[in-house]
Each structure stands twice: as C-alpha cells, then as structure tokens.
C-alpha cells in the first residue's frame, strides 16, 4: 500500500481492489479471532398474549370503519 493511500483514506475509495488485497495480506488482521454472529438465525420467541392483542386491535379497527360508514 502506498504512503498516500495510508495518509488519505479518501484515496481508498478510488482503488478498492488494492485495499482488499492489502487486507488479505495483513498479518495483524489474520491474527484476530473471528466469530460469526447470526442473530436472525435464531427462532423468534413468541410474546405471550400477542395474538390476542393483535385480534383486539383488528377488531377495534374494524369497528371504527363500520362506525364511520354508518355515520356517512
């Protein structure tokens, strides 16, 4: 990597291939421990009563629509 690239991070945007090659060759980066976190892979924990809350909300919306249509 050239000195101008190290001193000016905006130059990295003009030649990303050089930066990727430098990252792949970096001994310091290869020594880092790596762990992949995938929080979206876990199953969602359902909330207790969430289905009932949703039904209550739907009923409230439906009754509001019916009330509006009766008034018109």
């Amino acid at each position: 990597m050239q000195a101008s690239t190290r001193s000016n991070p905006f130059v990295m945007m003009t030649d990303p291939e050089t930066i990727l090659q430098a990252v792949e060759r970096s001994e310091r980066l290869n020594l880092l421990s790596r762990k992949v976190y995938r929080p979206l892979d876990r199953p969602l924990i359902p909330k207790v009563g969430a289905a009932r809350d949703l039904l209550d909300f739907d009923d409230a919306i439906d009754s509001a629509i019916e009330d509006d249509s009766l008034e018109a």
Side-chain angles (χ1 to χ4, degrees), residues 4-71:
S4 64
T5 304
R6 282 189 220 141
S7 63
N8 186 353
F10 295 103
V11 174
M12 289 190 269
M13 288 188 269
T14 61
D15 191 13
E17 192 62 39
T18 303
I19 303 303
L20 290 174
Q21 290 173 2
V23 168
E24 289 172 357
R25 290 189 311 257
S26 173
E27 289 181 26
R28 290 176 64 191
L29 289 176
N30 287 332
L31 293 175
L32 290 174
S33 62
R34 296 179 182 149
K35 185 170 183 176
V36 177
Y37 292 95
R38 297 187 178 151
L40 298 177
D41 289 348
R42 292 180 297 190
L44 294 176
I45 300 171
K47 293 182 180 179
V48 175
R52 185 68 219 154
D53 293 339
L54 185 58
L55 290 174
D56 291 340
F57 178 74
D58 286 343
D59 291 340
I61 296 294
D62 291 341
S63 66
I65 291 172
E66 289 173 4
D67 292 344
D68 288 343
S69 65
L70 292 176
E71 291 175 4

